[in-house]
Amino acid sequence: MVKGLYTAYTGMINEQRRMDVLTNNLANANTNGYKKEGLTARAFSDQLALKIKDYTDAPNTARGLGIINPGVKIGESYVDWSEGPMKETNNTFDFAIGGRGFFAVEYTNKAVNIERDTAGQMDVMYTRDGCFTMNVNGEITTQDGDYVLDDSGSHIQIDPNLPVEIDTLGNVIQDGAAVAKIGVYDFEATTYPDGRISYDNLLHYGENFYIPVGDDAGAEVVENAKVYSGFLEQSNVSVVDEMVNMIATQRNYDTNQRMITTIDGTLQIAANQIGKV
């Protein structure tokens, strides 16, 4: 009976973590390029229940009572990399990628301790959020001022005084000539039979940035990648689906909670009433 308390407890912890993920997905339903996350659940390994210190049997002999399961735990977290819907903005410096790939951004940690590092910490991060702009120097940056990189890993420098056109291959055209190319990078991924993909070497950072980890997580330029100017990829979170999953998760949590209450009441009867007999 006490083992039932632990089983219900693990179920509550599992549903609480699932609720955290669902809440984060809903919070980012309007975040450009956001990919929803999820959790899988798995049972703990079955164990053989043994009856010990039973002196009706031979000394130091444990009698098997059957198989028990200690409960459930989080199996793994995953990211749904399916494309989100595209929204037309008519802004030249809004980009959306058709198919696989990421934009490369020279990210600066703006919260760095200035006394320790006056230059800030810079690293290359990757995102599907193509909400960019052009600064006064003619460089394409994110809304936070981080530099967007071209297909050679350099800053994208254009003439701010000339009209700009971006074709579907990501070429930045001014005065009839290509002066730069928007960099689209991709990583090695596992492709499943149903078409789903999984990036095992990308670590989520912030709302919609990703950092490659591991020795084999090198970024490669995607040749002939489709880049659509004047469009933004929206989050692939379905608010309705997440709300339905949230209701189901809450019900599962409540069920485990009621199980604990029931077992606790049974234990009280066993200790306070039966124990007096």
Side-chain angles (χ1 to χ4, degrees), residues 33-34 81 102-107 124-129 132 142 144 146 202-211:
Y34 178 81
W81 294 102
F102 301 85
F103 298 111
V105 174
E106 187 180 81
Y107 179 83
V124 176
M125 297 188 183
Y126 299 86
T127 182
R128 296 277 298 190
D129 181 4
F132 301 141
T142 66
D144 293 331
D146 297 317
L202 287 184
L203 179 66
H204 203 167
Y205 182 89
E207 293 180 344
N208 52 9
F209 278 111
Y210 297 92
I211 305 174

Side-chain angles (χ1 to χ4, degrees), residues 51-61 63:
K51 185 177 182 181
I52 60 176
K53 296 183 179 180
D54 184 356
Y55 298 104
T56 60
D57 294 331
N60 300 322
T61 300
R63 180 189 300 176

Side-chain angles (χ1 to χ4, degrees), residues 133-155:
T133 187
M134 180 179 65
N135 63 19
V136 294
N137 297 321
E139 297 166 308
I140 298 180
T141 68
T142 66
Q143 298 297 324
D144 293 331
D146 297 317
Y147 296 106
V148 181
L149 304 181
D150 61 13
D151 57 346
S152 65
S154 302
H155 297 180

Side-chain angles (χ1 to χ4, degrees), residues 95 156 165-173 180-184 225-228:
F95 305 130
I156 300 175
E165 179 183 352
I166 291 91
D167 63 17
T168 55
L169 294 178
N171 294 305
V172 182
I173 301 172
K181 185 174 182 179
I182 305 297
V184 178
K226 297 296 183 182
V227 177
Y228 300 98

Side-chain angles (χ1 to χ4, degrees), residues 154-200:
S154 302
H155 297 180
I156 300 175
Q157 179 72 56
I158 59 179
D159 189 339
N161 299 314
L162 293 177
V164 180
E165 179 183 352
I166 291 91
D167 63 17
T168 55
L169 294 178
N171 294 305
V172 182
I173 301 172
Q174 288 188 302
D175 201 17
V179 297
K181 185 174 182 179
I182 305 297
V184 178
Y185 298 81
D186 201 11
F187 302 86
E188 183 178 350
T190 302
T191 303
Y192 296 97
D194 60 359
R196 293 182 298 112
I197 62 173
S198 174
Y199 291 100
D200 299 326

Side-chain angles (χ1 to χ4, degrees), residues 7 11 26 42 52 57 59 71 82 98-99 119 131 200 210 217 221 226-227 236 246 266 273:
T7 302
L26 285 174
R42 59 178 299 183
I52 60 176
D57 294 331
S82 60
C131 184
D200 299 326
Y210 297 92
V221 176
K226 297 296 183 182
V227 177
N236 66 352
M246 183 174 289
T266 305
Q273 298 183 20

Side-chain angles (χ1 to χ4, degrees), residues 40-113:
T40 62
R42 59 178 299 183
F44 285 100
S45 300
D46 290 339
Q47 297 178 359
L48 177 64
L50 299 175
K51 185 177 182 181
I52 60 176
K53 296 183 179 180
D54 184 356
Y55 298 104
T56 60
D57 294 331
N60 300 322
T61 300
R63 180 189 300 176
L65 298 179
I67 300 298
I68 62 172
N69 188 284
V72 68
K73 63 178 178 179
I74 296 297
E76 63 180 4
S77 60
Y78 65 89
V79 178
D80 181 357
W81 294 102
S82 60
E83 289 186 52
M86 290 189 184
K87 176 183 177 181
E88 186 174 6
T89 64
N90 295 318
N91 182 355
T92 302
F93 297 105
D94 284 342
F95 305 130
I97 299 174
R100 289 174 51 173
F102 301 85
F103 298 111
V105 174
E106 187 180 81
Y107 179 83
T108 303
N109 184 359
K110 302 165 187 62
V112 70
N113 189 331

